[in-house]
Amino acid sequence: HIIIMNINDQVEELTGLKNVVGKNICEVIPGIHDSNPELFEICTRVALSGQAEKLETHLESLGIWLALAVYSHAKDEIVIVFQNVTERKIDEQKLIILNNLLSHEVDKRTSELSALTAHVQEVAEMERVKLAQELHDELGSKLAVAMMNVGRLSKTFIDPKLLKELTSLEDLLRSTTNSIRSVVSQLYPTGLDSQGFIPAIESLIQTYGKH
């Protein structure tokens, strides 16, 4: 039990409590023992030990936040100094809400950015596959036909100079075909589809190892 022995004008003005001297605090502020048990625990410790303590607590029945400093100058007697910190507590709660909203918005934007990045990567991958297929199917097939025609022409002419030119052209076409295959492989390694990721990586390592 905490019996109020004295109270100053400032506390009366702060809390609106009047004519409370000599009364039990539980009578003055109904329900305070259940809503603020930490206040009674600290007051008990200070009264027994003489060591001052501080705390901040919310008095629900009065609707205010108080910063309390509890002192003891004589056994079983305490002095409680009040400071109204309601505005600061309200500002802190608003700040917490704003931080939570900001954190939520950051998470939302991060998720949207991740989704956009994934979409861009997917589109880029599709474009690489499309380009690789076009190079392989269209340009590759045309080069193959050109090599066949050069080969057929080489069997038709007997002029050494012309045959030399055709041979050089055939070598150029073959080199170009190999270059196209290399570009296609870099754009989209076909081994990913036919072999899987790990075998495709091993094949890539072997290929570079040869060079």
Side-chain angles (χ1 to χ4, degrees):
H1 300 284
I2 300 177
I3 305 300
I4 301 174
M5 304 300 295
N6 193 11
I7 187 170
N8 61 22
D9 295 338
Q10 287 78 12
V11 173
E12 290 184 356
E13 182 180 350
L14 173 65
T15 63
L17 301 176
K18 299 182 181 297
N19 302 319
V20 297
V21 175
K23 296 181 180 179
N24 191 312
I25 193 171
C26 293
E27 178 186 356
V28 174
I29 307 178
I32 189 173
H33 190 277
D34 294 330
S35 62
N36 303 87
E38 71 283 356
L39 174 60
F40 292 83
E41 294 172 1
I42 288 179
C43 289
T44 299
R45 287 199 303 268
V46 173
L48 294 175
S49 67
Q51 298 294 321
E53 294 192 33
K54 296 181 179 181
L55 81 155
E56 290 185 353
T57 188
H58 181 241
L59 297 182
E60 295 182 6
S61 58
L62 299 180
I64 58 176
W65 277 90
L66 296 177
L68 309 177
V70 185
Y71 305 90
S72 179
H73 300 290
K75 185 174 176 57
D76 295 333
E77 292 185 3
I78 58 174
V79 176
I80 303 177
V81 179
F82 296 83
Q83 181 182 3
N84 190 335
V85 294
T86 303
E87 289 188 6
R88 174 168 64 81
K89 283 295 183 179
I90 292 175
D91 290 340
E92 288 177 357
Q93 291 172 351
K94 289 181 179 179
L95 183 60
I96 291 174
I97 293 174
L98 289 175
N99 283 337
N100 290 337
L101 290 175
L102 179 60
S103 178
H104 175 73
E105 187 66 21
V106 170
D107 291 341
K108 178 182 177 182
R109 296 299 182 185
T110 301
S111 178
E112 292 175 351
L113 181 59
S114 297
L116 179 60
T117 301
H119 177 67
V120 170
Q121 291 177 341
E122 182 180 358
V123 171
E125 181 68 15
M126 293 173 61
E127 289 299 320
R128 283 196 297 269
V129 173
K130 180 180 178 181
L131 180 58
Q133 290 176 342
E134 290 177 352
L135 288 174
H136 180 271
D137 296 342
E138 296 184 16
L139 186 56
S141 61
K142 291 179 181 179
L143 288 171
V145 171
M147 289 181 63
M148 291 174 59
N149 289 335
V150 170
R152 187 172 61 254
L153 288 174
S154 298
K155 297 177 181 179
T156 303
F157 296 99
I158 59 174
D159 186 343
K161 184 176 180 181
L162 183 58
L163 288 175
K164 183 178 180 181
E165 292 294 333
L166 289 174
T167 301
S168 298
L169 179 57
E170 187 176 13
D171 291 340
L172 177 61
L173 291 173
R174 185 176 293 106
S175 175
T176 303
T177 300
N178 291 334
S179 297
I180 292 298
R181 288 174 180 170
S182 177
V183 171
V184 169
S185 178
Q186 292 179 27
L187 285 173
Y188 187 76
T190 56
L192 287 174
D193 289 333
S194 60
Q195 302 174 7
F197 181 72
I198 294 179
I201 290 295
E202 293 174 343
S203 176
L204 183 64
I205 292 174
Q206 292 176 1
T207 300
Y208 275 93
K210 292 178 182 179
H211 293 287

